[in-house]
Amino acid sequence: MENLKIAATARYIPERVVSNNELSTIMDTSDEWIYPRTGIHNRHVVTDENTSDLATHVAQRLLEKSGWSADELDFIIVSTMSPDSLSPHTAAIVQGNIKASKAFAFDLNAACSGFVYGLSAASALLSSGRYRKGMFIGAEVLSKLVDWKDRTVSVLFGDGAGGVLLEQTNESVGLIAEELQSYGEMGNAILTGRFANQNAFSGEISPLDPYFHQDGRSVYGFATREVPKIMNKALDKAGLAADDIDLYLAHQANERIIRSMAKNFGQDLAKFPTNMAEYGNTSAGSTAILLDELVESGQVHPGMKIAFVGFGGGLAIGVQIWQL
């Protein structure tokens, strides 16, 4: 076990709610079509905020909850596939906003596996012994990457952010095991944010296409087929059985996928909590948002064994098992 402590959790959700019924006024869809296929009723979208704004709100709430000062932070990591800009990166903006003068900062993009991959990076930095306290945030404004005329994709995504504070500890808590896996040969199943090559020496100019494109059938098959394999590998590394895990906090992509996971593991669906009904898919933000809600309600507390499960764009899968 890597002796690490999740010292605080926090989330920030934009106020503007867009329901399935509202979507039906701008495209040919309905709640009756969307909800049975996805488990989504609503999503929240920004009106005048960007990704760094959402992440900054989370950072401020984390400091308030923990009583830490920004100067105590050694590093800030933001996982996002929807940054304000390529430079400056989102984590640097957050670092400046909260005046964390002693922290270095960087972004990480692992799309919907971003929470687990970010936790992996943060835990590795802390376990190296060179750093003691770090902040990790998953933040997304996916509404700017969605073509709101494309009803096959736009109904799925929302905006939001969540994060954690992590620190070294002498307590018998922390990261028990992890398993990360990439499937680059399948990457075209989820595409977004493609740039045009317009340099003075290029031949045919590649098309500029910022919007999401997803092969839903392939992604569903990938998630239901491959994710349980990686979950089993993580459990084997931890020396644990599926029954030993108190809760599985999975990326909130689709309720049907979550149901499939629970069935594959012979676990009660109650061990796979969801919140996509209210928020939709918030990519790197989804698991962190769910974690903070469960901590706030008392459903996640010290002493529990938690499996964090991420999967999606890349394609990629990540699983971490923690003793809280």
Side-chain angles (χ1 to χ4, degrees):
M1 182 187 295
E2 297 178 21
N3 296 102
L4 306 171
K5 184 177 182 178
I6 297 177
T9 66
R11 68 187 186 276
Y12 178 79
I13 310 297
E15 291 184 5
R16 178 69 162 91
V17 179
V18 178
S19 68
N20 292 342
N21 289 331
E22 183 172 356
L23 286 182
S24 71
T25 66
I26 62 173
M27 64 182 72
D28 184 13
T29 191
S30 66
D31 184 68
E32 291 75 21
W33 188 90
I34 298 169
Y35 181 71
R37 290 167 173 79
T38 66
I40 298 169
H41 279 305
N42 300 313
R43 72 281 301 140
H44 293 238
V45 300
V46 301
T47 54
D48 58 359
E49 298 169 303
N50 211 332
T51 307
S52 65
D53 298 310
L54 274 57
T56 298
H57 281 298
V58 171
Q60 292 167 336
R61 290 179 178 182
L62 285 169
L63 295 176
E64 289 169 3
K65 284 186 172 184
S66 65
W68 293 8
S69 71
D71 282 344
E72 293 180 67
L73 295 173
D74 294 309
F75 62 83
I76 299 169
I77 303 172
V78 173
S79 183
T80 184
M81 62 181 295
S82 55
D84 295 21
S85 57
L86 295 181
S87 183
H89 49 278
T90 308
I93 299 172
V94 173
Q95 186 256 1
N97 286 346
I98 66 171
K99 297 179 172 54
S101 59
K102 298 178 182 178
F104 64 88
F106 65 91
D107 283 5
L108 180 153
N109 179 3
C112 297
S113 298
F115 180 76
V116 176
Y117 278 61
L119 273 185
S120 179
S123 59
L125 287 169
L126 293 171
S127 295
S128 73
R130 288 175 287 177
Y131 312 104
R132 292 199 55 82
K133 293 186 176 184
M135 175 182 288
F136 167 62
I137 298 169
E140 303 284 13
V141 174
L142 300 178
S143 58
K144 64 186 177 186
L145 300 178
V146 168
D147 180 355
W148 290 95
K149 297 177 183 177
D150 182 357
R151 65 176 183 172
T152 65
V153 174
S154 59
V155 302
L156 302 174
F157 297 102
D159 303 334
V164 296
L165 289 179
L166 301 164
E167 64 179 333
Q168 291 183 11
T169 182
N170 293 322
E171 300 175 37
S172 296
V173 297
L175 177 61
I176 302 173
E178 74 171 17
E179 185 71 21
L180 309 178
Q181 180 66 52
S182 294
Y183 306 78
E185 71 279 6
M186 301 172 64
N188 284 344
I190 301 175
L191 292 171
T192 188
R194 285 173 286 178
F195 290 95
N197 185 349
Q198 301 183 31
N199 77 66
F201 310 101
S202 61
E204 183 177 349
I205 296 177
S206 303
L208 174 64
D209 186 353
Y211 297 126
F212 264 105
H213 300 278
Q214 178 171 292
D215 182 342
R217 187 180 298 274
S218 294
V219 173
Y220 181 84
F222 162 78
T224 55
R225 180 182 66 252
E226 300 298 330
V227 174
K229 295 178 184 178
I230 303 304
M231 292 170 70
N232 275 318
K233 286 185 178 181
L235 287 168
D236 288 344
K237 281 185 176 181
L240 298 171
D243 288 347
D244 296 325
I245 304 300
D246 294 299
L247 286 177
Y248 294 84
L249 304 192
H251 166 54
Q252 301 292 290
N254 184 303
E255 189 175 31
R256 292 167 62 196
I257 293 174
I258 304 296
R259 289 180 177 276
S260 175
M261 286 183 191
K263 182 178 180 180
N264 282 334
F265 274 78
Q267 300 294 299
D268 192 300
L269 189 58
K271 291 178 71 170
F272 288 76
T274 64
N275 64 5
M276 81 275 290
E278 178 60 25
Y279 305 123
N281 179 344
T282 56
S283 191
S286 74
T287 310
I289 293 168
L290 177 63
L291 173 63
D292 184 54
E293 288 188 322
L294 295 173
V295 169
E296 191 174 86
S297 66
Q299 296 175 73
V300 166
H301 52 78
M304 299 182 76
K305 287 184 176 67
I306 303 293
F308 297 113
V309 183
F311 55 91
L315 297 178
I317 299 172
V319 178
Q320 280 199 332
I321 298 173
W322 281 69
Q323 174 70 55
L324 301 184

